Amino acid sequence: YDASLYNSIGKTHVTSELLFNDDEEKYFAFRVYGDNNSSETMSEVLIDNFKVIGSTSSGALNIINSINQNIKNISIVNSGSGLSSNNSTILIKNSLFYDNDYAGLSLTNTNGSMLNSIIWSNEFDIFSKSSIGFSIDYSIFSASYGEISEGSNNIALYPNFNTESFVLNPLSPAIDAGHPGDYDACQPPGVGTLSADIGLYGGMDNCGAQNSN
């Protein structure tokens, strides 16, 4: 691994940018791991403003045996795979999984939710097993495979963004299309009205510098 958290109990905040420009194989770029044989599991980890580009690992962000994992305004692009979760509870908002070789989101025995996120141009946008307790709504993706709960407000249209910066173009269907209970805290990087955008630069935690989101 390039970095990992193991059996850390209590609140932990992770924010980082990981860039890969070589062909070195790694299991994961970043891993959050709790011991399944222990009475303790990883809990209350906040991962935000986290970026992975060009990882050849089998899961750029890997979460195992963990609860209350909050993931906000992260991006995993041009990598071997995106986020993978096993036996965990994860809450994802305003994140981007784009142009990864395998799955943008890979779930096994996972509960939680995803809102206001873009999963696009991956070999499989969403691949899931035994994860009917995981819901996705107010998000953009082309297709899902397996067992999850899909809401009625998802969009299966090209997100129409800049493919280098991922800023939404003026005619993007993601503008102001996020959950009605959310809003864009800062404009820019939010666009349109104060209603939450879908994607990396929308939502209530979008006030970081644009390049750091």
Side-chain angles (χ1 to χ4, degrees), residues 4 13 16 30 32 37 77 79 103 105 107 116 122 125 127 132 135 137 140 147 165 170 189 210:
S4 63
H13 185 193
S16 183
F30 190 86
V32 179
N37 295 318
V77 302
S79 294
L105 192 64
L107 308 172
N116 305 348
N122 308 281
D125 283 343
F127 188 86
I132 197 65
S135 65
D137 207 0
I140 293 179
E147 302 170 330
S165 68
Q210 179 167 302

Side-chain angles (χ1 to χ4, degrees), residues 53-134:
I53 301 173
S55 170
T56 58
S57 60
S58 58
L61 175 58
N62 180 249
I63 299 173
I64 295 180
N65 301 333
S66 304
I67 60 174
N68 298 331
Q69 308 300 297
N70 286 282
I71 300 165
K72 301 178 181 180
N73 301 90
I74 77 163
S75 61
I76 301 176
V77 302
N78 304 125
S79 294
S81 191
L83 184 154
S84 62
S85 171
N86 192 328
N87 193 35
S88 296
T89 301
I90 57 176
L91 307 173
I92 305 171
K93 269 192 174 184
N94 288 102
S95 292
L96 170 70
F97 306 92
Y98 174 73
D99 199 26
N100 297 294
D101 292 339
Y102 182 56
L105 192 64
S106 180
L107 308 172
T108 303
N109 297 322
T110 293
N111 296 311
S113 64
M114 170 180 276
L115 292 173
N116 305 348
S117 296
I118 296 174
I119 316 172
W120 198 263
S121 194
N122 308 281
E123 179 69 20
F124 303 98
D125 283 343
I126 304 169
F127 188 86
S128 59
K129 180 180 179 181
S130 302
S131 296
I132 197 65
F134 186 87

Side-chain angles (χ1 to χ4, degrees), residues 17-37:
E17 180 171 332
L18 302 175
L19 304 178
F20 297 86
N21 297 304
D22 55 53
D23 295 325
E24 181 181 357
E25 281 289 338
K26 301 178 176 70
Y27 286 110
F28 310 104
F30 190 86
R31 192 182 205 197
V32 179
Y33 179 70
D35 188 349
N36 196 38
N37 295 318

